[in-house]
Amino acid sequence: MGEGYVAPSDKMNIAGVGLGDMGPANLKNLESESIVALCDVDPNHAARTIQRYSSAKFYTDYREMLDRQKDIDGLVIATPDHTHAVITMAAIRAGKHVYCQKPLTHDVYEARMLTKASR
């Protein structure tokens, strides 16, 4: 409880979705928070990240993760581009904060739908 101490209750519970290329770098930048869940369709490709955050629960389906793990405050989405908007929409609908790699959407319609959902 000294200078610089951050109580665990003051940390965000972060989930990483997409653990291949950019995902691990994003999570590394958030290590001051609590990494509580990880999600990737390929556990073999994500093995190093899963090992680094061994206390985090691992999922292969983001929908299952959002349904089961209610302690998640925010998601870092670093999946292939064509899945960004879909996963972001699911996270917004679940009431989560979202950081998503670019591009967030592929067209204006997706951008408008995400904007509407976030409001």
Side-chain angles (χ1 to χ4, degrees):
M1 301 328 143
E3 186 176 327
Y5 175 78
V6 178
S9 60
D10 289 338
K11 293 184 177 190
M12 286 186 69
N13 288 334
I14 303 294
V17 183
L19 307 174
D21 297 320
M22 291 303 299
N26 294 151
L27 290 173
K28 187 172 171 105
N29 288 325
L30 292 169
E31 287 182 346
S32 62
E33 304 302 321
S34 297
I35 310 299
V36 297
L38 301 170
C39 182
D40 198 287
V41 296
D42 185 352
N44 295 322
H45 188 62
R48 293 174 102 195
T49 305
I50 295 167
Q51 183 178 9
R52 181 178 183 100
Y53 305 103
S54 59
S55 64
K57 181 131 174 66
F58 178 74
Y59 300 88
T60 56
D61 187 324
Y62 72 91
R63 296 164 296 191
E64 178 185 347
M65 180 184 70
L66 288 171
D67 284 343
R68 290 189 179 183
Q69 194 151 346
K70 301 300 182 189
D71 65 336
I72 296 169
D73 296 316
L75 283 77
V76 174
I77 301 170
T79 56
D81 294 354
H82 66 280
T83 62
H84 287 179
V86 174
I87 299 170
T88 298
M89 181 63 83
I92 289 170
R93 287 184 175 157
K96 309 302 180 190
H97 298 280
V98 179
Y99 170 83
C100 185
Q101 285 292 327
K102 64 181 181 170
L104 177 59
T105 66
H106 279 289
D107 56 41
V108 174
Y109 175 77
E110 286 180 344
R112 288 182 177 156
M113 292 298 99
L114 288 175
T115 301
K116 184 178 177 182
S118 68
R119 287 186 176 146

